[in-house]
Amino acid sequence: MSLSSFNRRWASVILEAVRRHGVKHVCIAPGSRSTPLTLSAAENPGFTLHTHFDERGLGHLALGLAKAGKDPVAVIVTSGTAVANLYPALIEAGLTGEKLVLLTADRPQELIDCGANQAIRQIGIFASHPARSLFLPSPTERISARWLVSSIDDAMGTLHAGAVHINCPFAEPLYGEMDDTGLSWQQSLGDWWTDDKPWLQEATPIEVFKERDWPLIRQQRGVVIAGRMNAKDGVKAAQWAQTLGWPLIGDVLSQTGQPLPCADLWLSNPKAVEELNQAEIVIQLGSGLTGKRLLQWQTKCAPKEYWIVDPNCGRLDPAQHRGRRIIADISRWLDLHEAEPGAPWYKECAQLSKETAKNVESKCVGFGEAQLAHRIGKYLPENGQFFVGNSLIVRLIDALGQLPAGYPVYSNRGASGIDGLISTAAGVQLATGKPTLSIVGDLSALYDVNSLALLRHATAPFVQIIVNNNGGQIFSLLPTPQAERTRFYQMPQDADFAHAAGMFSLRYCAPKCREDLETELAEAWKIPAATVIELKVNETEGAQMLRSLLKEVSRL
């Protein structure tokens, strides 16, 4: 009798059960206690396997795969602090709706809280952040295979968004040749092994209903705020708002084409705010707004009703407006709420947007992060996708740039952390196989520098731009104390990423001017591999440009 064989059979039921719920990719970190899960995943032909030595990066790799692939992604890690390193990715998935399946190996209960090596309290480690948690017992034939598979099905079948945490304790031995131990236990599931359906099929469909008063509402003055959504939704939302004659204020992640570009600048003008305040209804499609001026107006606006349409649950409105919280697929909801053609009523905002765009065009000359943000639409790969990091760069692109309608844009703007950005971008690329442009700041890159290793596995041209402004320059936009700003907020590291790229044998360049950057990008899009482009820029110029333009536009 071999416990290692039974551990494997137990694990094989877990892996096959999650596969039946759409898991195609499994991300694996090295570890001994997770051996039954790892080997069971490896022998299952339905999985594509990915590996990484850094569990925090591994979790974000899975997050990126789930963002772009739309299917749940499984993660296998060993016991101990390896589990804790999944926390940031788990939190982000809970806020942005990607589905992760965290399979965490554990010591058996008798080894917890008694001084055993690598044994920590893993039950409840993620508190309220998982959408579902399942704490399995140690493998034993006294528990039927039917209980195990139906428990997995119950957790997976009701997973609408976020992560499910399945904690899997295994007793030693973990290694050894397979024998017949547990074979009859495993075969008790009968022809389940030969079909492709879950043992227990469970679903909680979300129905979309038409608002009864929509024919009256659509005749009012309205404003559309477009937050984070997919490419299909973004194109449809822009067309819908245009037909209604309502202004659409598009976030950098909206994929609407931002028909009124530079909104984060022109919303600083009192004339724009005065006109928008005439709206009787505001409809927000998608969540996760970036622009500071948009968030300020969104907080203070007082229409008769404020509607938020988003597929994820939760209020999603920090300002707590009176109105309607509609949980629905955005495209389906727009189809049900047909737009009646109307004349645009937002003349002041349209004019201010045009004048602001001209101002930005005239000022954003030369070479720097503001110029990169302004020209971002020209640097995107054809038939590709874009991943944008956090802190200053995403705000500059939101304020100064304009992305094409329907062009796929990804980010980690749920918790808006700087951890795991390179690894998330790597996952996005591996999920689609498309050419990918990713942009992060220097501190973000340092935070996830281990994950440059993942870029070696790129399956198409991948460009990782690192904007090196020597520290967290976003803090120069905030009222941080001047005397302590450098030491305690910006924390400049004087880093050079040539050695980091070289350590992982990645193509590297550091262009000195715009022409060099454009030449390097043109070459990089010809190579089915990753290129790291370090953009060494003036430390404060990007933040100063944004501040200067805000001042000018507010006086137009």
Side-chain angles (χ1 to χ4, degrees):
M1 299 291 286
S2 168
L3 180 57
S4 65
S5 291
F6 189 73
N7 282 340
R8 287 272 298 278
R9 297 193 190 281
W10 180 278
S12 69
V13 171
I14 296 172
L15 268 298
E16 180 59 23
V18 300
R19 189 192 70 79
R20 304 287 177 98
H21 289 273
V23 172
K24 300 182 180 71
H25 295 272
V26 181
C27 300
I28 302 173
S32 184
R33 192 63 55 164
S34 52
T35 291
L37 294 168
T38 296
L39 296 183
S40 295
E43 68 185 10
N44 192 316
F47 294 132
T48 299
L49 305 182
H50 309 271
T51 61
H52 191 31
F53 54 84
D54 177 342
E55 284 91 357
R56 188 183 67 198
L58 185 80
H60 284 94
L61 174 70
L63 181 70
L65 285 161
K67 280 181 186 292
K70 309 303 181 187
D71 295 314
V73 175
V75 181
I76 294 174
V77 298
T78 195
S79 63
T81 57
V83 178
N85 277 296
L86 299 178
Y87 223 144
L90 161 65
I91 289 172
E92 183 69 20
L95 292 170
T96 53
E98 291 79 23
K99 295 180 182 179
L100 299 182
V101 183
L102 306 184
L103 301 173
T104 60
D106 197 359
R107 259 60 176 171
Q109 185 60 41
E110 62 268 22
L111 294 182
I112 305 301
D113 286 330
C114 63
N117 182 51
Q118 207 171 327
I120 67 172
R121 292 187 294 275
Q122 292 178 199
I123 294 178
I125 189 172
F126 297 128
S128 62
H129 291 286
R132 289 289 304 268
S133 295
L134 176 61
F135 306 119
L136 296 175
S138 296
T140 171
E141 291 192 60
R142 294 191 300 273
I143 296 175
S144 73
R146 290 187 175 196
W147 177 88
L148 180 58
V149 70
S150 61
S151 296
I152 301 294
D153 285 344
D154 178 57
M156 294 294 297
T158 57
L159 182 63
H160 173 62
V164 57
H165 174 211
I166 303 176
N167 196 63
C168 310
F170 294 103
E172 294 181 338
L174 303 168
Y175 305 99
E177 295 297 322
M178 290 292 290
D179 59 24
D180 290 339
T181 304
L183 182 59
S184 59
W185 176 91
Q186 186 181 41
Q187 291 177 342
S188 67
L189 295 175
D191 62 3
W192 177 80
W193 288 104
T194 58
D195 69 25
D196 208 41
K197 297 177 182 177
W199 180 272
L200 177 65
Q201 298 187 53
E202 191 173 349
T204 52
I206 296 177
E207 295 187 42
V208 181
F209 300 99
K210 183 174 181 178
E211 304 296 319
R212 292 184 178 182
D213 53 355
W214 175 244
L216 294 175
I217 293 288
R218 67 186 179 187
Q219 295 175 30
Q220 298 177 1
R221 286 190 173 186
V223 171
V224 178
I225 296 176
R228 179 178 57 242
M229 62 182 86
N230 62 42
K232 177 185 174 184
D233 293 348
V235 171
K236 186 171 287 189
Q239 294 170 344
W240 186 76
Q242 182 180 27
T243 301
L244 285 167
W246 294 1
L248 182 144
I249 306 173
D251 186 84
V252 64
L253 305 180
S254 69
Q255 302 178 68
T256 58
Q258 299 152 291
L260 295 171
C262 307
D264 194 47
L265 296 179
W266 57 259
L267 278 169
S268 67
N269 191 296
K271 291 184 287 186
V273 172
E274 183 180 354
E275 183 174 63
L276 291 174
N277 284 343
Q278 297 175 31
E280 298 165 273
I281 182 168
V282 174
I283 298 180
Q284 180 180 329
L285 305 172
S287 60
L289 305 177
T290 301
K292 185 175 182 179
R293 264 55 58 180
L294 174 55
L295 285 166
Q296 288 172 341
W297 180 78
Q298 188 263 356
T299 298
K300 294 177 181 178
C301 72
K304 292 178 182 177
E305 282 208 62
Y306 193 103
W307 297 4
I308 297 182
V309 183
D310 190 275
N312 291 328
C313 299
R315 284 180 289 176
L316 305 181
D317 179 16
Q320 318 299 340
H321 288 97
R322 182 178 184 177
R324 305 179 197 183
R325 174 66 184 91
I326 301 164
I327 301 171
D329 175 83
I330 292 173
S331 284
R332 192 175 172 195
W333 189 87
L334 291 174
D335 288 338
L336 280 176
H337 296 79
E338 187 178 357
E340 184 176 84
W345 64 270
Y346 50 97
K347 295 180 181 177
E348 197 70 63
C349 290
Q351 183 60 32
L352 280 169
S353 178
K354 288 180 182 177
E355 292 180 29
T356 301
K358 288 180 182 177
N359 270 27
V360 171
E361 180 71 26
S362 65
K363 293 293 176 58
C364 287
V365 294
F367 184 68
E369 58 188 320
Q371 292 81 355
L372 172 69
H374 173 58
R375 297 178 62 81
I376 190 63
K378 298 179 173 65
Y379 296 152
L380 301 172
E382 187 177 353
N383 299 317
Q385 57 197 358
F386 179 42
F387 183 90
V388 59
N390 287 322
S391 292
L392 184 57
I393 187 61
V394 69
R395 288 167 172 80
L396 289 174
I397 293 174
D398 186 63
L400 310 179
Q402 187 173 19
L403 296 166
Y407 194 91
V409 182
Y410 300 94
S411 76
N412 285 351
R413 293 293 296 166
S416 300
I418 65 168
D419 44 355
L421 296 178
I422 292 175
S423 43
T424 306
V428 166
Q429 197 286 313
L430 288 172
T432 64
K434 290 183 177 181
T436 304
L437 174 63
S438 171
I439 301 179
V440 302
D442 54 304
L443 291 187
S444 298
L446 287 170
Y447 212 118
D448 201 24
V449 73
N450 284 350
S451 293
L452 288 174
L454 295 171
L455 303 191
R456 295 179 296 190
H457 307 300
T459 57
F462 186 113
V463 173
Q464 178 61 67
I465 294 180
I466 300 172
V467 178
N468 191 345
N469 55 21
N470 202 21
Q473 297 304 329
I474 191 171
F475 292 108
S476 63
L477 292 175
L478 301 174
T480 50
Q482 180 70 41
E484 290 84 12
R485 183 175 295 163
T486 299
R487 182 182 179 190
F488 294 118
Y489 296 92
Q490 294 170 332
M491 297 189 185
Q493 299 299 308
D494 301 305
D496 185 305
F497 289 89
H499 300 293
M503 182 166 59
F504 297 108
S505 303
L506 298 174
R507 184 172 178 266
Y508 169 88
C509 58
K512 304 294 185 184
C513 62
R514 193 177 86 185
E515 292 74 20
D516 287 349
L517 170 62
E518 293 174 354
T519 298
E520 293 291 354
L521 281 170
E523 288 301 310
W525 298 135
K526 300 175 184 177
I527 304 169
T531 299
V532 175
I533 297 181
E534 183 177 3
L535 223 62
K536 298 180 180 180
V537 299
N538 181 281
E539 293 183 7
T540 59
E541 192 176 84
Q544 289 173 348
M545 176 76 76
L546 182 58
R547 191 183 295 111
S548 172
L549 282 165
L550 277 168
K551 194 173 183 180
E552 288 184 22
V553 172
S554 67
R555 296 173 179 173
L556 288 176

